[in-house]
Amino acid sequence: MATTTVRTIDAKAIRELFPFFTPHEEMRSLIYLDNGATTQKPRAVIERMVDFYSYHNANVHRGAYGVGAKASEMFENARERIAQFLNAKESAEIIITKGTTESINLVASTWGESLQPGDEIIISEMEHHANILPWMQLVERKGAKLIVWKITDEGKLDLQELQSLLTDKTRMVAVMHISNVLATVNPVKEICALAHKAGAKTLIDAAQSVAHMPVDVQDIDCDFFAFSGHKLYGPTGVGVLYGKREILETLPPYQRGGGMIKRVAWDQVSWAGIPSRLEAGTPPIAEVVGLHAALDFVDEIGRDKIEAYEWELTQYALERLQEIPGLKLYGPVDYRAGLLAFNVGDVHPHDIQTVLDTEDIAIRAGNHCAHPLGDRLGTPATARASLAVYNDEAHIDALIKGLHKVREVFQLD
Ligand code: 7TS
């Protein structure tokens, strides 16, 4: 039996803040272990959005009438809150996007414009497709080169290896903060320091980190930092790109349209300053307001506390997973985030998922949008349980029971 005990957070009390975990006639009660894909939403987030649409709905940065001004104020307050959440210097460094994917595409297609033939972009072998494909497209367009920073056998990134890849041609090092498959927590501060020493810029894909640990963009000293609202207890359709002011100010527009110009005439156009220049069109207003509530939710619990709790729970899961014969876990075990990607014997991960579903346990199975990593690991697919602050030991116990059932169903011994 496991020796780890998990008690720093009352996950049951937290679940009560989520309609999704409240008994309802339309839903079976579910053990939700697919938080890497998206988290559930607390009532406070849902209610803030309902409140916005019910009583404050107007477009932003337009209507000078009362409701319009109030909507703009709510929107800009949320931007301030996001800046504070990341410890950005100022809210103008916060660009609203629709998610991590769009944030990275934005950087590749604006900052990337300055790339010259022969320039190099370094990304790691563990990246999600969202932090591969925009760079692949960019280097192809610019005659530049994509350099892949290989992972160690343990599933980590070796800083000495990075040092050997950095050259005077390196323009960007773009890496994930936490791997959505290996659960590796990458040393982003050290990565940024090395990249900067070589004269390169840095982008951190923080899709899997912001909800699970404290983050401070000034301390990390990254040039860009991207995340999605929906993996942070917030709505879908909204994400963030943080960028240092001095860099954002040099970027050309991303998309063109309303809200991002100073003046348009047939023969001349002048662009607005940041952040507006990079936010063409009506933004996801209710979603931004909902994200504000999500940040409050996370900070009310405390990100230090969440990090410590999820590590305790992860250790408990790591111990208990050892009880399953034939289970192969991917990624480091000395320290990791609360994502557990594994295979059991030669059972297909989709079959593991299906059997667990009959036990009302939701996990994800597949390649997790990281084909090159799957190639490196020698497995096209894994089953993945991913934890959040509302999960507890009982959920891990149910997962273990479910995995014993998988072994039974597929007659493994
Ligand atoms: N980067 C990482 C590290 C991710 O894990 C994901 C989504 C993304 C980028 C893309 O985020 P989006 O919100 O723009 O789609 N990862 C996953 C996952 O692991 N399972 O489902 C989505």
Side-chain angles (χ1 to χ4, degrees), residues 328-392:
K328 177 167 171 48
L329 180 82
Y330 298 89
V333 290
D334 57 336
Y335 186 70
R336 61 152 60 204
L339 299 126
L340 303 143
F342 57 85
N343 274 303
V344 179
D346 59 0
V347 182
H348 196 282
H350 285 133
D351 291 331
I352 299 177
Q353 185 183 39
T354 303
V355 173
L356 291 177
D357 186 43
T358 64
E359 298 288 303
D360 293 330
I361 301 169
I363 64 154
R364 185 175 170 193
N367 62 64
H368 314 297
C369 302
H371 286 171
L373 176 62
D375 291 344
R376 167 68 168 83
L377 299 175
T379 177
T382 57
R384 185 191 70 184
S386 49
L387 310 175
V389 68
Y390 39 62
N391 294 123
D392 59 21

Side-chain angles (χ1 to χ4, degrees), residues 34 36-38 98-102 104 128 130-131 176 178-180 205-208 228 230-231 339 364 368-369 384:
D34 194 17
T38 197
K98 72 181 167 71
T100 311
T101 303
E102 188 177 40
I104 300 172
H128 184 281
N131 199 28
M176 64 207 319
I178 290 180
S179 163
N180 64 323
D205 170 354
Q208 296 292 348
S228 303
H230 71 97
K231 295 186 201 287
L339 299 126
R364 185 175 170 193
H368 314 297
C369 302
R384 185 191 70 184

